[in-house]
Amino acid sequence: MSPNKPEKRHGPFKLNRRGVRLFYDIHSWLGILGGMVLFICCFSGTLALFEHELFDWEKPQIRFAATGEMLGFDQLFERAQERLGTDKDMFVMLPNEHMRGLQARVFEDGHVEKIFLDPYTGVVVEGSGGTAFEFLTHLHTDLHLPRPFGRYLVGFLGIFMLMSLISGVMAHPKALQQLFLLRWRPRMRLTLSDLHKQLGIWGLAFGLVMAFTGAVIGLLGLFAPVMVLSAFGGDVGKATEAFSGPNSKPTGTAAEMLSIGSLIDRAEQQHPDFVVQSVFVRHWGDESAEVALNLDREPYRQLTAGETHRVSLVDGTTLHVSAFTERGVGTRLFGAVQPLHYGLFGGLGLKLLYFALGIALSLGIVTGSMIWLERRKPSRTVEPQLKGQYFWLGRLHLGVCLGLVVASALALAAGRFQPSKVEPVFWLSWLALLIIAYGVRNAFAYARVGGFATAAILGAIALGDLMGSTRTETTVQVNLVLMALGLLMASAAALSPKQAPGAKISRPPIVAGDMAESQG
């Protein structure tokens, strides 16, 4: 470059070559250091989106058929108390579009006991047995690490992902000019680079929202106490009372209880735009007894969170109302974080869109790692002692990422047909696939087999459910989606290369932001 000629600057941020290289290095190392954990969190999160749909699908014993008029809430609550006891606080989920039965839960010494009741007959069904969606949801929220440290780690991963997305935008200044550019198979690294940039740009807004909301949800328990205490001068009691109302304790004095069903009816009459989704009963039989009525808008698919009304079970007075809509714009936005993160403000169509964008985000993480590894594969001029390290690192990525996909499909199968086997099936299959990844010669053929295997598993469990149990609208939708995903997986596996392209061409040097290749 001529000393008198100004250095060319790239992209909308007008970065010089050194700036682009700096951000490219930051983006690369962020990706390779945290890529596998980010993939685990993102991929499991796409499955956690369907918590409500999979709940009904995984438990055919609670697909209660309408046999007449529903029993009143008080009758069902009495049946639940007969089974679980009246001396325990009880959380009750009312029947809804995804769960036809009434669910009752009690919490004691860190253990949760759960039952379901047929709302038409009052028959009790035990809630024993794990579910795949709960297992995979915990993989997304805390990576199955001890609480609260696992949740905090996932929250920091959200910040990590934000940094990676921002540095990626800065490292590829010409990405917008190549928004529709995808050069297929002229060279593996070139194809991966184009695909990585397409996935990153098209899914950028979604990725930023998911990373930010995930960080807020994950780190809330770490920073909220500090913010609350600073706002209330260190007075824990005052802070707690401001958000959840006064804390009530049993007095030991017995009192006659009001009908919870009548309180539910009264709340829905006073708030015609809301319906009661669940209730939490505390201190039953004591003069301090109360019920928390959790109301949400009708229909449920709203971005703004609902309200909670704490009502005395002795005289029916309202003790406290928690409503995100009445605490200013900031609080309303905070109340929208979880619905926005999990797509709770829309129906199945919105969740499928979230799923597609989540898969694109996961593929973006995988392609980024593949680019980094492709640059350093043994055929390149690298230090001899590093060749083996890059090989082992590549197979680790292959085993972790592909193994998670196949193991998740097997976990869904176990959750539907053998609920008690979800955890061993998942962990053992993932470990086995990871070990096999180190032994296969052809990584591309291994990935193809994994894709076909996943497709076969999804198709088999969908057909098995359709043929072997009572159908509901939700379960039919889930099975159709599983079969569609199976077809997509089979198509992707069929189109993927059987082996690495073997064309021997001169390879350009490693240049920041893949600028040398982007000129092509």
Side-chain angles (χ1 to χ4, degrees), residues 481-519:
V481 169
L482 288 175
M483 287 190 285
L485 290 176
L487 290 174
L488 287 175
M489 283 294 299
S491 301
L495 293 173
S496 62
K498 297 180 181 180
Q499 58 185 4
K504 295 184 179 180
I505 56 178
S506 60
R507 296 181 173 86
I510 299 174
V511 181
D514 213 15
M515 294 172 62
E517 292 178 338
S518 67
Q519 300 296 330

Side-chain angles (χ1 to χ4, degrees), residues 205 208 297 300 490:
L208 290 172
R297 292 188 182 275
Y300 304 124

Side-chain angles (χ1 to χ4, degrees), residues 38-108:
L38 277 176
F39 177 84
I40 294 170
C41 196
C42 289
F43 181 79
S44 58
T46 62
L47 302 177
L49 290 169
F50 302 97
E51 174 179 353
H52 299 297
E53 290 79 8
L54 289 175
F55 188 91
D56 190 21
W57 179 82
E58 284 195 82
K59 289 187 174 293
Q61 67 270 30
I62 64 170
R63 300 178 192 176
F64 303 114
T67 57
E69 188 175 350
M70 281 191 183
L71 299 178
F73 179 87
D74 293 313
Q75 291 177 279
L76 295 171
F77 182 68
E78 185 179 353
R79 300 281 180 87
Q81 286 185 315
E82 290 175 359
R83 181 61 62 90
L84 298 174
T86 60
D87 60 332
K88 302 172 186 175
D89 297 342
M90 188 182 302
F91 179 79
V92 182
M93 287 283 296
L94 278 68
N96 55 50
E97 59 182 327
H98 299 301
M99 184 181 68
R100 294 194 173 193
L102 180 140
Q103 180 192 152
R105 286 182 283 178
V106 295
F107 309 89
E108 188 174 28

